[in-house]
Amino acid sequence: MGVREGEAPRGGDAARPTAGGTGPDRDRAELFRALGALSEEPAPEHRRLAELLELPREPDMGTFTDVFVMNLYPYASVHVGPEGMLGGEARGRVAGFWQALGILPPSEPDHLGTLLGLLAELVERESDEEEPAARLLLGRARAALLREHLEPWLPAFLGRVKELGGAYYAAWADLLMDALRHEASRGRELPSDRERTAQVEMPLHLRRVPGVPDPRAGEEGRAAGATGWKVGGTGAGGRGGPDRETVGTTPTGEDFLKALLAPVRSGMILTRSDLVRAGRELGLGTRMGERLYTLKAFLGQDPSSTLSWLAGEARRQASLHGEIEGFDEGVLAFWSERAAATARLLDELASVEVGMNNGDTDHG
């Protein structure tokens, strides 16, 4: 089913008037297009959009950078990809959806602004379509975009934006969350068909995704300690002096840390701001750098306290997921249960570290 050949719709097109009539669907399309534009780098036309949406005073470039560049990346692949990074299979899956609609995927098919622009396009096309069968197909495409590529990550993501984004982006997140709830409700009211009946399974992004691995599982991890890292040592010269603190010295330990930073695996979105807060609360030296580097530094200084803090954060975010309403219950449960499972593992690892530090672990 073709939607439009050529250039893909962008959230930034929100300031461009659209042809066609007015009505609830047209207004909803414009809302999604505007909200998508406001997830991108601030531009002069955003001031008018913010006024129309009754948002607080528009943010400066520094606020935008802190929220969407340094802490909360507005890309589906970061949140639903098992690597927790841009690109990969998750981005390819989103690009495949564009192709299925007959649209050449843009360079960043999984950017939030781009996806909301596509949703606005589908809303408009459905509203303008007069042939019932074609209109139903467009409605199902609209519902599939939400279910497969927006709902699997946006409720969790927007919850964190509300915490870290200040007044402007918190209000923006509330508006988008409400609009997506309306879309989810509308999608559930579509006439059922064989394809939709088969969608009792989780969205593809959330199927068969491994959780956080237990770093004690491998032989090297068991030899190195509870979590596969080594603190102190005999030194390269064999003189018994302290070695440099290292973390992730085995593949098991490194995989464990990377999985903690992949939202779909750990169930939590762990940001740079969170780690700064952890360092402050634990009294640890915070070394500026990538999150993985910071985590390694914390674990090198105080493994048990760091693990306990991470467990508490996982429980906190599990509770946040549990408070979200209006979306697919299976998706919400996925995030809540995954974060709770991560918290249990971290609690256990922290207790093992405490036992080792107290000399209670049996090494026989």
Side-chain angles (χ1 to χ4, degrees):
M1 175 185 63
V3 174
R4 185 180 69 183
E5 297 294 338
E7 184 179 358
R10 290 286 296 177
D13 290 339
R16 171 180 56 80
T18 57
T22 60
D25 282 340
R26 184 67 62 176
D27 292 343
R28 186 153 299 278
E30 290 301 324
L31 174 61
F32 281 125
R33 190 172 281 114
L35 291 170
L38 296 178
S39 72
E40 299 178 349
E41 184 175 313
E45 58 268 24
H46 290 182
R47 177 172 300 176
R48 178 57 178 159
L49 293 178
E51 291 174 354
L52 290 172
L53 296 176
E54 300 182 348
L55 295 175
R57 182 172 175 270
E58 64 179 302
D60 55 25
M61 187 62 189
T63 303
F64 168 83
T65 299
D66 183 64
V67 176
F68 289 130
V69 178
M70 300 302 295
N71 285 287
L72 293 163
Y73 312 111
Y75 293 87
S77 56
V78 172
H79 297 89
V80 296
E83 308 88 357
M85 301 174 67
L86 285 171
E89 183 180 352
R91 173 172 281 182
R93 194 175 292 135
V94 177
F97 184 84
W98 288 81
Q99 292 169 334
L101 295 175
I103 305 176
L104 180 67
S107 59
E108 295 182 333
D110 62 323
H111 187 279
L112 176 56
T114 308
L115 288 170
L116 291 178
L118 177 58
L119 180 57
E121 184 82 3
L122 290 171
V123 171
E124 287 176 343
R125 293 283 295 187
E126 182 186 359
S127 176
D128 293 341
E129 181 58 60
E130 297 180 357
E131 204 282 313
R135 183 181 176 90
L136 180 58
L137 287 174
L138 284 162
R140 287 173 178 160
R142 175 178 166 183
L145 173 58
L146 176 73
R147 175 175 172 78
E148 293 294 329
H149 303 298
L150 293 173
E151 197 172 14
W153 66 284
L154 271 180
F157 173 83
L158 293 174
R160 295 302 334 262
V161 173
K162 289 171 65 175
E163 289 188 320
L164 301 176
Y168 177 91
Y169 284 116
W172 168 86
D174 273 330
L175 273 179
L176 181 51
M177 190 86 88
D178 285 344
L180 293 173
R181 285 193 185 98
H182 182 277
E183 275 296 292
S185 174
R186 176 209 155 273
R188 289 191 291 269
E189 295 172 357
L190 283 174
S192 62
D193 64 356
R194 184 176 304 174
E195 180 182 352
R196 291 191 68 247
T197 301
Q199 286 184 350
V200 292
E201 288 191 80
M202 295 287 284
L204 193 56
H205 287 301
L206 305 184
R207 296 183 209 168
R208 296 182 292 278
V209 179
V212 176
D214 188 332
R216 300 165 296 179
E219 183 176 347
E220 292 182 0
R222 287 193 298 271
T227 42
W229 53 75
K230 178 176 58 179
V231 181
T234 59
R239 292 187 294 272
D243 197 1
R244 185 178 62 177
E245 294 178 346
T246 58
V247 183
T249 56
T250 72
T252 300
E254 191 82 2
D255 290 345
F256 166 74
L257 296 177
K258 289 180 177 179
L260 284 178
L261 297 174
V264 76
R265 298 190 65 182
S266 67
M268 62 176 171
I269 301 174
L270 196 61
T271 69
R272 285 185 173 90
S273 290
D274 295 327
L275 294 180
V276 169
R277 173 167 53 91
R280 182 174 62 249
E281 292 177 2
L282 298 176
L284 301 176
T286 304
R287 305 177 185 180
M288 297 302 294
E290 296 295 324
R291 292 174 301 155
L292 181 62
Y293 178 82
T294 303
L295 265 184
K296 290 179 178 181
F298 286 173
L299 288 164
Q301 295 173 68
D302 191 341
S304 59
S305 294
T306 299
L307 291 167
S308 293
W309 188 94
L310 290 168
E313 180 63 16
R315 278 192 297 274
R316 190 185 74 83
Q317 293 199 31
S319 178
L320 289 177
H321 300 326
E323 294 172 0
I324 298 172
E325 298 179 341
F327 298 98
D328 183 89
E329 292 182 0
V331 171
L332 297 177
F334 172 93
W335 284 93
S336 181
E337 292 169 5
R338 181 135 302 189
T342 298
R344 290 192 295 271
L345 173 61
L346 289 164
D347 278 332
E348 185 175 345
L349 295 173
S351 67
V352 172
E353 283 290 345
V354 169
M356 291 180 65
N357 292 336
N358 291 335
D360 295 334
T361 302
D362 180 6
H363 296 286

